[in-house]
Amino acid sequence: MIASRVLLRSPLATVARRAVAVSSVRATAVRTYSSQAAPSGGAGKSLFIAALAAGAGAAGYHFYAESQKSTLPVVAAAAEKPKEPLDYQKVYNAIAAIIEDENYDDGSYGPVFLRLAWHASGTYDVNSKDGGSNYATMRYKPEAGHGANAGLGIARERLNRVKDQFPEISYGDLWTLAGVAAIQELGGPIVNWRSGRVDGEEDHSPPEGRLPDAARADGQHSRDIFYKMGFNDQEIVALLGAHALGRCHKDRSGFDGPWTASPTVFTNDFYTELLGRKWVERKWDGPKQFEDKESKSLMMLPADMAMAKDKEFRKWVEIYAKDSNKFFEDFSKVAQKLFELGVKFEDNAKVYQFKPTNA
């Protein structure tokens, strides 16, 4: 009995008694949980507590803690904060911020951004219903290795800076939005744009040969290529007005030189130069191309010359050469059409018009 009293006064015994008391109360109050019965009788009960204190003092506290935890009500996890939709104007602004660079080409990545958007979209085939901007398959070697896409890795790498800032945007949306930004930031018309492109896999890659061959001087080749995308003669000529921007590079396409004297400003100069200058075949070690006889500083591709020779094409060349506003209006529409080739948008997809950063 003395040993029992000593044990009952010990700190470990105190913890044990509290554990049993709390456990008993909890078990009574919360009937959905089972409880462990204690031995009956006075002396027997004392001996039981003493044994509990001697053999499981620390365990008594653990039992208390576990019983405390088991009877606490379950607290529902706080609902996650809804994800805010992507602000595409901010994405546009981020693209615009990396367009100018005095150390690259003519001081602007705009032309190569537009070329990337153009080539990523222009692989669509209305008959097979595949290709286009939806899957951004130029990320993979097969399409990236197409001859027409030489040098576009420069644009894709540059735009990865924006992708890092806005990882939720798809590559197809990023590249086509970069095309819109290039047009607008370099002085061109406002182009409507919608999001909704998804990133595909390598097996979505289109076959090579769907983009126009710049070395082909016959108008029928241009029709064969562009008609498969769903464009008519007027739209073909309007799209080629984008040649007002940028230049050809011998180490990429094999051709060399700019189409206009202001390759970083979006204008109707492609048409005025095509009709207003005398073009002669350039004598050099590269593929066949033409240079202006007067300054020898500008060039035209064989496919460009077909626009002036073909009667139906030339009609639209003359219209756009005379009326810059008409060209801007038509180009805005056909650029949107081009960038949306192969994309299945939701019925309520928002149409964006972005404010140029230099407006």
Side-chain angles (χ1 to χ4, degrees), residues 42-342:
K45 184 174 182 180
S46 298
L47 288 174
F48 168 74
I49 294 174
L52 178 63
Y61 179 76
H62 176 72
F63 173 78
Y64 165 73
E66 287 300 310
S67 65
Q68 181 86 336
K69 181 169 67 174
S70 66
T71 57
L72 290 175
V74 177
V75 179
E80 293 185 3
K81 184 179 179 180
K83 190 175 183 180
E84 294 183 2
L86 185 58
D87 187 334
Y88 287 104
Q89 181 67 58
K90 289 184 178 179
V91 182
Y92 174 98
N93 294 347
I95 295 171
I98 62 170
I99 286 180
E100 291 188 6
D101 187 337
E102 61 181 10
N103 296 315
Y104 175 74
D105 225 12
D106 293 301
S108 174
Y109 279 89
V112 75
F113 284 177
L114 178 54
R115 181 168 169 250
L116 172 63
W118 208 118
H119 285 212
S121 304
T123 57
Y124 183 68
D125 188 311
V126 294
N127 299 311
S128 57
K129 307 294 183 185
D130 58 10
S133 66
N134 194 39
Y135 294 132
T137 44
M138 206 187 299
R139 293 174 293 132
Y140 301 105
K141 287 185 178 181
E143 188 175 352
H146 291 178
N149 295 330
L152 290 180
I154 295 171
R156 295 194 300 272
E157 182 178 354
R158 180 81 168 178
L159 288 170
N160 280 339
R161 301 183 184 188
V162 180
K163 178 67 172 175
D164 290 341
Q165 289 180 254
F166 305 94
E168 59 268 48
I169 191 172
S170 69
Y171 282 98
D173 279 351
L174 175 62
W175 295 350
T176 54
L177 183 52
V180 171
I183 294 165
Q184 296 187 177
E185 295 297 312
L186 299 185
I190 299 297
V191 178
N192 290 345
W193 181 86
R194 293 186 287 178
S195 65
R197 296 160 190 80
V198 297
D199 293 333
E201 300 300 329
E202 184 174 335
D203 58 8
H204 290 118
S205 300
E208 189 168 9
R210 290 189 176 183
L211 294 171
D213 184 352
R216 296 284 296 273
D218 58 299
Q220 189 55 47
H221 168 72
S222 295
R223 289 188 174 92
D224 290 343
I225 294 294
F226 284 95
Y227 282 9
K228 286 183 179 180
M229 298 181 207
F231 295 114
N232 59 33
D233 286 359
Q234 171 265 317
E235 292 171 320
I236 293 171
V237 178
L239 279 173
L240 287 183
H243 281 174
L245 295 177
R247 64 171 59 237
C248 289
H249 302 78
K250 190 173 181 180
D251 61 344
R252 301 178 195 177
S253 65
F255 301 103
D256 178 62
W259 289 269
T260 71
S262 54
T264 60
V265 182
F266 194 95
T267 64
N268 68 334
D269 284 0
F270 169 75
Y271 308 108
T272 60
E273 298 288 14
L274 181 60
L275 297 180
R277 291 180 180 266
K278 184 173 179 60
W279 298 94
V280 296
E281 185 173 341
R282 179 179 176 181
K283 300 185 186 308
W284 72 315
D285 60 353
K288 182 178 179 179
Q289 68 176 66
F290 297 83
E291 63 183 7
D292 71 294
K293 186 177 181 179
E294 182 181 4
S295 71
K296 301 184 183 300
S297 63
L298 304 180
M299 70 97 202
M300 287 286 167
L301 302 170
D304 298 324
M305 299 303 293
M307 297 297 107
K309 293 178 180 179
D310 184 281
K311 182 179 179 180
E312 290 301 313
F313 286 150
R314 185 182 178 94
K315 176 178 68 175
W316 289 104
V317 171
E318 292 176 348
I319 289 173
Y320 295 143
K322 294 176 181 177
D323 192 341
S324 178
N325 291 333
K326 174 63 174 172
F327 166 55
F328 272 39
E329 178 184 347
D330 288 354
F331 185 85
S332 174
K333 295 175 183 176
V334 76
Q336 180 185 1
K337 180 177 177 179
L338 171 66
F339 296 158
E340 294 187 350
L341 291 179

